Amino acid sequence: MKVGRKQRRVIVMYDCSKELEKFYRKKVVLSAKEQNELREKRKLNIKRLKEGLSEYNSEKNKDADCKIKLDN
């Protein structure tokens, strides 16, 4: 064993991008079917909210429109 000799460290890098992409597609991104189901639920909830606000305003004799713009 020689004294004073420096040891070099080797850094190894792994490319995990394919595994990460696969995980993202399978576990994170919703399927088209699930996305469409959520969109339909959103539309239904917006419709129910608007109808409920209209009903509330008519019961309270209010003429004010909803100040919040809700897109369908």
Side-chain angles (χ1 to χ4, degrees):
M1 182 172 161
K2 294 183 180 181
V3 179
R5 187 173 178 181
K6 293 184 181 180
Q7 292 181 346
R8 284 206 248 177
R9 291 187 182 188
V10 177
I11 298 174
V12 179
M13 295 181 65
Y14 297 99
D15 183 7
C16 298
S17 62
K18 289 180 183 175
E19 290 85 359
L20 287 173
E21 287 175 16
K22 181 179 176 183
F23 173 82
Y24 182 77
R25 282 192 315 273
K26 294 207 179 257
K27 302 290 184 179
V28 178
V29 177
L30 295 175
S31 69
K33 179 182 175 187
E34 291 171 314
Q35 288 180 20
N36 290 333
E37 288 173 356
L38 288 175
R39 285 185 189 105
E40 290 302 317
K41 288 179 182 180
R42 179 185 65 199
K43 288 177 186 177
L44 177 62
N45 285 332
I46 290 172
K47 179 181 175 187
R48 291 171 62 199
L49 177 61
K50 286 181 176 180
E51 289 172 356
L53 289 172
S54 296
E55 182 180 339
Y56 174 83
N57 287 337
S58 65
E59 288 174 359
K60 302 293 182 185
N61 294 324
K62 304 257 183 188
D63 290 332
D65 289 330
C66 179
K67 300 287 185 195
I68 302 171
K69 183 176 185 323
L70 300 173
D71 295 328
N72 285 347

